[in-house]
Amino acid sequence: MVRTSPLRGGGLEFKSRPAHQKGEQMMDEAYKKAVNLVIKNIQKAGRYITAFNTNIDAIVKVNSTSLRINKKTEEYIKKSLSSGFKREIWKIEDLYLALFLSIKRGKADEWLISRKEVYDDIAKRFSPIELRMGGQAGIMANVLGALGVETIVHCAILSEEQCSLFEKNVYAVRKMNGEYKVVPVKDAAKKGIYSTYNWIFEFAKGTEFKTETLQAIAPRDNRFIATWDPKNSKMEIDKDFKDGICGLLKNVEWFVVSGYQLLRERYNGETYADRIKESVSLLKEIRKKGVKIHLELASTHSLKIRREIVKKVFPVIDSLGFNEVEMTSFMEAMSKKVIDEHDSVSLYTGISEIMKKYGNIRRVHAHDLGYYLAITKNYLPTEILRDSLLFSSTLAATKAIHGRVTRKNIKDGLDTPISERGKEMIKKLSNHLNDENFESSWCMELNGKSLSAIATKVVKNPVSTVGLGDTISI
Ligand code: ADP
């Protein structure tokens, strides 16, 4: 979103070229122009707010030595594999079960740690190689801040350690001398409070988890996340933020909300529905003041919680972002089926259905490996929409190469090759839309809406894949 609004009227001439002229060089040219345009205009963007989940990620590199387990754990994994498991970490054996599954499938996954004792045990067993900004709200705030966009971030725990991980241009809300103020986040830290970590276990392709009777070999680089985050798991809103934010919305263009995936079905005396209700009443108040709301989805296991998000949050937002797997699971919550989630036509159909059902949603941005697809209604001209996607692909590639984005290192994202899978997916969508030009223009107008799908830059050996989706959608 930040990339687009300043650029009205600055589209490329990409669309008018004949299909046969397409090719790597022309695509690269389009990427370069889009990035230059956005960077030139970014100062004109209004303020952003990102909420609610900000945390600290402790990065652990997993290898066969750290995966050595005892007989009891081995038996536990075997039993769970044959008789079922809960996808929650109640004891240390559950962590190894999750790692085994994640490595075997080469899939990113996230389970909640359910007891403080297990969190402490993990902290004793594994040493992080790095502490990184975590949580969608924190990651998005840092990308925006690094690009020069003033961003107010919500942190459930404003510890000094947490605040030290923010980039420039990031602010927090604090009550000072009886008045709510927007202050640079580094000056907003509360002394004497401490953060807990979410554990990110990264593994490389070929990593082996092997015992006498079990074997898993990672088919690709990926990660498993063990989350311990009592405040964010309840979507607890910081009091200063909750009470002060509505009076601090001057120049704020977008409120970007995320973190519903961390909710649980039950708490002491409350349920997920109560927690969603509290956040939604804040969203409504903010929206009433003219600020647009973007919701970024994430993998949410509970169907009950997904249904409540669809029912209560979808009607109060203007924009929605997700990946292909998240779309399938939220379509299920809308009692709809996706035929093949790894397919551009299915993604297009799913987005169209969501926008048809929720007329308030004017923008949907979906990402899959190798391509992105976005549709807007009464919001952006097609070429501008496409340029915004080209920019976000460059940002994601930059983050995959360096782990963080700066204005300077964006050029490395630009030098990354464009995905062949992505090109195939765009071709497939062009055929479906029956528009030959779309394959080379990557954008079109359709039934009064702007549609764009682009093949993206995919980095061969990313330093990390955490937070790429968040970087893409803002
Ligand atoms: P997260 O939950 O970490 O934010 P998602 O699963 O939502 O991530 O999105 C990850 C997205 O990142 C993919 O859909 C893909 O578009 C992009 N991506 C993944 N790997 C790479 C890579 N190596 N280079 C560039 N982009 C990537």
Side-chain angles (χ1 to χ4, degrees):
M1 290 172 292
V2 65
R3 309 165 297 276
T4 52
S5 37
L7 298 181
R8 277 175 206 283
L12 306 171
E13 278 161 31
F14 196 43
K15 193 177 177 186
S16 54
R17 298 192 193 182
H20 68 267
Q21 267 189 28
K22 70 178 187 291
E24 206 75 15
Q25 205 184 341
M26 194 171 135
M27 291 172 187
D28 281 343
E29 202 49 38
Y31 262 98
K32 256 184 226 148
K33 280 192 185 174
V35 169
N36 286 339
L37 265 174
V38 178
I39 291 293
K40 214 169 102 192
N41 286 283
I42 207 144
Q43 249 72 30
K44 295 181 202 158
R47 277 189 169 177
Y48 275 60
I49 301 172
T50 60
F52 292 98
N53 55 330
T54 299
N55 61 265
I56 298 178
D57 286 342
I59 314 296
V60 175
K61 290 270 179 212
V62 171
N63 55 37
S64 25
T65 315
S66 52
L67 291 171
R68 274 201 205 121
I69 53 171
N70 59 25
K71 213 61 205 157
K72 184 176 154 224
T73 310
E74 182 178 358
E75 288 310 317
Y76 182 84
I77 295 176
K78 275 164 50 189
K79 189 159 167 268
S80 305
L81 293 177
S82 62
S83 57
F85 48 88
K86 269 186 96 179
R87 303 173 62 87
E88 275 184 26
I89 303 173
W90 286 93
K91 42 191 188 172
I92 196 74
E93 287 83 357
D94 289 318
L95 172 71
Y96 290 103
L97 166 66
L99 284 170
F100 181 81
L101 288 167
S102 200
I103 288 172
K104 192 163 181 82
R105 296 172 183 161
K107 278 213 154 202
D109 205 353
E110 180 165 353
W111 290 15
L112 298 175
I113 300 171
S114 298
R115 290 192 308 131
K116 170 85 168 63
E117 293 75 11
V118 189
Y119 172 83
D120 292 339
D121 195 1
I122 294 174
K124 266 190 230 136
R125 284 171 193 246
F126 297 94
S127 314
I129 53 159
E130 188 191 342
L131 296 182
R132 242 183 243 164
M133 175 61 67
Q136 289 147 301
I139 291 169
M140 290 184 192
N142 266 356
V143 174
L144 289 164
L147 293 171
V149 179
E150 288 192 353
T151 304
I152 301 170
V153 69
H154 170 265
C155 295
I157 303 178
L158 262 175
S159 68
E160 289 179 287
E161 198 172 31
Q162 178 75 71
C163 291
S164 72
L165 295 175
F166 281 104
E167 301 276 352
K168 280 191 293 192
N169 304 310
V170 181
Y171 299 82
V173 178
R174 284 297 307 268
K175 191 173 184 182
M176 287 169 167
N177 306 323
E179 235 185 283
Y180 293 105
K181 290 202 169 125
V182 170
V183 287
V185 71
K186 292 195 175 162
D187 303 335
K190 297 178 185 170
K191 294 209 163 47
I193 61 162
Y194 298 95
S195 293
T196 51
Y197 303 153
N198 284 335
W199 295 88
I200 315 278
F201 296 92
E202 295 190 337
F203 52 86
K205 182 176 172 180
T207 300
E208 257 194 300
F209 190 148
K210 198 163 173 256
T211 67
E212 256 172 45
T213 53
L214 288 167
Q215 188 180 27
I217 301 173
R220 61 184 73 84
D221 295 355
N222 223 316
R223 87 268 169 169
F224 170 76
I225 305 176
T227 312
W228 172 255
D229 205 349
K231 283 183 185 275
N232 287 319
S233 308
K234 253 186 117 178
M235 213 173 224
E236 210 174 288
I237 308 176
D238 174 75
K239 190 164 174 359
D240 288 359
F241 184 93
K242 190 163 68 182
D243 296 342
I245 193 71
C246 285
L248 299 167
L249 296 176
K250 200 169 165 224
N251 297 331
V252 173
E253 219 176 308
W254 282 93
F255 186 101
V256 182
V257 61
S258 54
Y260 289 98
Q261 75 279 5
L262 300 170
L263 288 174
R264 299 174 184 207
E265 289 188 4
R266 298 202 162 276
Y267 306 92
N268 269 345
E270 275 189 310
T271 69
Y272 61 97
D274 301 314
R275 305 307 309 144
I276 289 178
K277 198 169 163 194
E278 186 183 314
S279 73
V280 165
S281 81
L282 184 61
L283 296 187
K284 281 183 179 163
E285 253 185 89
I286 286 169
R287 195 158 179 248
K288 250 196 251 155
K289 303 217 166 198
V291 174
K292 296 183 281 289
I293 312 271
H294 171 82
L295 168 66
E296 187 61 26
L297 297 176
S299 164
T300 310
H301 298 318
S302 159
L303 181 58
K304 275 192 205 163
I305 297 178
R306 271 182 273 142
R307 286 206 173 117
E308 190 73 4
I309 295 169
V310 167
K311 211 165 110 194
K312 299 285 167 53
V313 189
F314 278 23
V316 303
I317 59 172
D318 302 276
S319 168
L320 185 62
F322 47 71
N323 70 21
E324 74 290 1
V325 181
E326 290 147 14
M327 183 183 80
T328 304
S329 72
F330 277 83
M331 291 294 280
E332 185 193 4
M334 290 168 62
S335 308
K336 291 188 188 292
K337 259 205 145 81
V338 173
I339 298 163
D340 174 6
E341 67 189 17
H342 298 292
D343 179 275
S344 53
V345 176
S346 287
L347 210 57
Y348 165 72
T349 312
I351 296 175
S352 306
E353 285 191 42
I354 293 171
M355 291 182 88
K356 196 166 156 206
K357 174 133 196 231
Y358 293 94
N360 53 297
I361 300 181
R362 296 193 275 145
R363 171 186 181 271
V364 176
H365 183 170
H367 55 273
D368 190 352
L369 188 61
Y371 73 101
Y372 309 156
L373 209 171
I375 301 183
T376 62
K377 184 175 66 180
N378 302 328
Y379 180 49
L380 291 175
T382 54
E383 289 87 355
I384 306 286
L385 177 64
R386 181 204 50 223
D387 290 352
S388 77
L389 297 189
L390 296 175
F391 183 65
S392 81
S393 160
T394 311
L395 286 188
T398 307
K399 190 160 164 69
I401 297 168
H402 294 287
R404 70 189 278 255
V405 175
T406 66
R407 274 176 171 241
K408 278 196 182 145
N409 67 12
I410 290 180
K411 65 175 184 347
D412 298 332
L414 267 179
D415 289 340
T416 306
I418 296 166
S419 157
E420 289 304 319
R421 170 174 194 260
K423 288 183 208 162
E424 265 167 43
M425 285 293 156
I426 306 304
K427 189 171 181 174
K428 208 163 170 193
L429 187 59
S430 308
N431 292 341
H432 176 78
L433 296 168
N434 211 3
D435 184 321
E436 224 180 75
N437 196 41
F438 186 78
E439 196 187 335
S440 57
S441 69
W442 291 354
C443 66
M444 70 188 288
E445 247 177 55
L446 190 68
N447 307 326
K449 298 192 185 80
S450 298
L451 162 69
S452 175
I454 65 154
T456 61
K457 306 206 161 238
V458 173
V459 175
K460 257 217 175 116
N461 297 306
V463 292
S464 162
T465 55
V466 175
L468 288 184
D470 313 330
T471 306
I472 292 163
S473 279
I474 42 155

